[in-house]
Amino acid sequence: MEVTSCPVGDLAVANPFQMVVQQIDTVCDRLHLDEPWRVRLRHCERELIVHFPVRMDDGTVKIFTGYRVQHNDTRGPGKGGIRYHPDVNLDETRALAFWMTLKAAVVNIPFGGAKGAVACNPKLLSLGELERLTRRYAAEISVLIGPESDIPAPDVGTNPQVMAWIMDTYSMHKGWSVPGVVTGKPVEIGGSLGRAEATGRGCMFSARLAARHLNMDLEGASVVVQGCGNVGSVGARLLVKEGCRVVAISDSCGGVYNEKGLDLAKVLAHKRESGSVVGARDTETISNKDLLALKCDILLPAALEGQITKENADQVRAEMVIEGANGPTTSEADSILYDKGVFLVPDVLANTGGVIVSYFEWVQDTQAFFWEEEEVNRKLKKIVKRSFEEVLKISEEEKVNMRTAAHMVAVQRVAAAMAARGIYP
Ligand code: NAD
């Protein structure tokens, strides 16, 4: 989570759950799954809405609204982040929970999909207010979460400190420490080495695999990154290590551009000091709209959903898109990019580094036996490679884009698990 004076950034997409419904229809058509399957996939298993009071620093009491949604837990406990953003709502949380079901299934880890959110602007809260809000929200959703039922993690607007407060609150209610109730927490209380960088690292591995497939040399390849938070900044940093040139990066205040390649360390330092990348030395300012239209080898959208739409997809001039964010490309934009020959690695594959290392963290917590960072990164690489190859194979065999192929792999696994378990009672 970044804390700046910038706006938090708009959610450009009207209703991400509409995207989900289209995606379910597309994949079910391909897999010849009939209406009862579609209906089950369209519905989340559990949806909790909470309205709760928080005492503000000035003594007033404010009511906040939060959500925890479990989409499908057939393959294992719910897993999914918690988002703090003023525009969150039930449909967005449902969409994000659905994508978590798919992600866990694409990479074949034993989790279902869940997501949580609180409608708030964390940038406008003091540290004390943020802690009280988090602890009360954690208590409200404690009827659903737990290491065997549903395990939250960070997402937009939350960070390891927020996870630590949730872990502590849950543990206080139990009467003993329960590190496995959340992932993405500080290593001092059972977090995994490598978790903070995992999503960006997974994006880098995906870019490597896609580059190999496209015969693209990463050495000198130009990269444009939208979003400079956990995913975008780490992804950018690791791609630079691969020899890439990051020519533009943005946050909710706007973007910076340098055709020859940004000095990323200086841009990130400028952001740490001033709150935004905008104004970093030796850069031109660029709007988020223009940034998406820059000619580049790799475009890494790593902000929010609904950024590449039918209005601007035609202007995208990237060779490949690595979806660091969840749902950054709308369904109409997907088709436009595919027709243009842009190779797109979808969110449910490209940004799975986070959920994979969250799985490792949960396994380590459960066993109380912790791994070296090298082991975490090695196992992460192996799973991303295996999943990428499985999805690419389906995409080539079935002549569908990588998103539909990934959804086919995932829905097949979820449907097989549902069929094996049957319907209770
Ligand atoms: P974050 O809060 O750390 O960073 C988000 C970044 O996006 C910030 O730099 C913010 O300024 C920027 N931003 C917001 N609106 C913008 C806009 N309209 N234009 C440009 N930039 C904008 O969040 P994060 O954890 O990096 O998550 C980013 C995306 O990645 C989200 O879609 C999230 O769901 C997804 N994701 C995150 C993880 C994870 O482990 N954190 C895992 C998988 C997917």
Side-chain angles (χ1 to χ4, degrees):
M1 176 180 70
E2 56 175 21
V3 178
T4 72
S5 55
C6 302
V8 284
D10 297 331
L11 297 182
V13 71
N15 184 344
F17 198 70
Q18 281 168 4
M19 268 165 73
V20 162
V21 171
Q22 284 171 355
Q23 290 173 352
I24 291 171
D25 281 339
T26 305
V27 67
C28 288
D29 284 347
R30 280 273 159 189
L31 294 174
H32 308 293
L33 292 175
D34 54 17
E35 194 57 18
W37 291 101
R38 295 171 199 230
V39 172
R40 277 188 78 182
L41 289 171
R42 267 185 227 134
H43 286 85
C44 295
E45 288 170 358
R46 294 184 193 89
E47 303 179 337
L48 177 65
I49 304 179
V50 293
H51 307 285
F52 58 92
V54 177
R55 197 172 299 283
M56 308 307 281
D57 288 347
D58 65 3
T60 60
V61 173
K62 248 180 108 172
I63 301 293
F64 289 85
T65 297
Y67 309 89
R68 186 72 190 171
V69 170
Q70 296 171 352
H71 173 260
N72 187 300
D73 67 357
T74 313
R75 299 180 71 256
K79 187 85 194 80
I82 289 174
R83 180 173 289 194
Y84 286 178
H85 191 284
D87 297 345
V88 297
N89 55 47
L90 183 57
D91 265 351
E92 185 196 42
T93 314
R94 285 171 169 152
L96 291 162
F98 168 78
W99 289 324
M100 288 308 299
T101 301
L102 295 192
K103 274 190 221 182
V106 170
V107 298
N108 211 0
I109 55 177
F111 284 137
K115 202 80 183 188
V118 177
C120 67
N121 185 344
K123 292 176 185 173
L124 300 182
L125 298 174
S126 71
L127 198 64
E129 288 168 341
L130 195 62
E131 176 172 356
R132 292 193 291 280
L133 176 143
T134 299
R135 288 186 180 279
R136 179 64 189 238
Y137 169 67
E140 297 282 349
I141 64 166
S142 64
V143 290
L144 287 186
I145 64 171
E148 290 170 337
S149 57
D150 181 356
I151 307 127
D155 191 72
V156 174
T158 57
N159 60 15
Q161 177 60 71
V162 171
M163 295 306 115
W165 289 325
I166 296 177
M167 179 270 193
D168 185 66
T169 304
Y170 186 87
S171 299
M172 287 299 106
H173 289 183
K174 283 285 170 196
W176 56 86
S177 291
V178 190
V181 65
V182 288
T183 59
K185 56 193 172 291
V187 285
E188 293 79 6
I189 52 168
S192 176
L193 294 172
R195 173 60 185 89
E197 301 82 23
T199 308
R201 189 175 297 280
C203 290
M204 180 273 282
F205 287 147
S206 295
R208 249 196 216 166
L209 292 157
R212 196 168 305 156
H213 170 65
L214 298 176
N215 279 325
M216 179 194 286
D217 193 355
L218 280 188
E219 190 65 46
S222 53
V223 179
V224 168
V225 185
Q226 187 198 44
C228 188
N230 176 281
V231 181
S233 66
V234 175
R237 212 160 30 77
L238 295 178
L239 283 167
V240 167
K241 275 198 177 163
E242 293 293 298
C244 296
R245 207 163 32 99
V246 175
V247 295
I249 192 162
S250 66
D251 54 35
S252 54
C253 300
V256 286
Y257 172 63
N258 184 330
E259 194 189 356
K260 294 200 191 88
L262 299 166
D263 183 334
L264 197 63
K266 280 197 185 142
V267 172
L268 296 180
H270 180 81
K271 183 169 173 65
R272 270 194 304 277
E273 283 151 23
S274 74
S276 172
V277 293
V278 176
R281 283 253 298 270
D282 303 324
T283 68
E284 284 170 44
T285 303
I286 186 168
S287 71
N288 264 299
K289 184 166 169 274
D290 292 342
L291 173 133
L292 291 174
L294 285 172
K295 185 163 169 48
C296 61
D297 294 306
I298 303 171
L299 174 61
L300 175 64
L304 293 168
E305 54 265 26
Q307 300 298 309
I308 307 177
T309 64
K310 67 175 188 302
E311 275 76 38
N312 64 1
D314 211 28
Q315 292 151 29
V316 169
R317 290 187 293 155
E319 290 288 311
M320 71 165 91
V321 175
I322 305 290
E323 291 190 330
N326 286 311
T329 313
T330 64
S331 306
E332 296 95 338
D334 238 357
S335 311
I336 298 171
L337 295 182
Y338 188 60
D339 291 344
K340 274 165 62 106
V342 177
F343 187 78
L344 182 146
V345 185
D347 45 9
V348 294
L349 179 60
N351 72 32
T352 48
V355 74
I356 294 168
V357 177
S358 275
Y359 168 53
F360 297 161
E361 181 171 329
W362 177 76
V363 168
Q364 293 170 77
D365 289 338
T366 310
Q367 302 183 341
F369 182 67
F370 291 87
W371 312 347
E372 302 280 325
E373 188 166 356
E374 181 277 327
E375 185 176 359
V376 171
N377 292 342
R378 180 165 38 83
K379 288 192 158 97
L380 167 65
K381 184 177 164 186
K382 193 172 163 189
I383 295 183
V384 173
K385 182 169 183 289
R386 180 190 69 202
S387 312
F388 185 94
E389 286 166 357
E390 277 174 355
V391 171
L392 183 63
K393 187 163 174 277
I394 300 285
S395 155
E396 291 180 338
E397 281 172 4
E398 300 287 329
K399 301 198 175 4
V400 291
N401 65 22
M402 289 285 280
R403 187 184 317 280
T404 303
H407 288 190
M408 286 170 74
V409 170
V411 170
Q412 242 161 357
R413 285 191 179 131
V414 175
M418 291 201 297
R421 285 181 61 162
I423 294 178
Y424 174 86

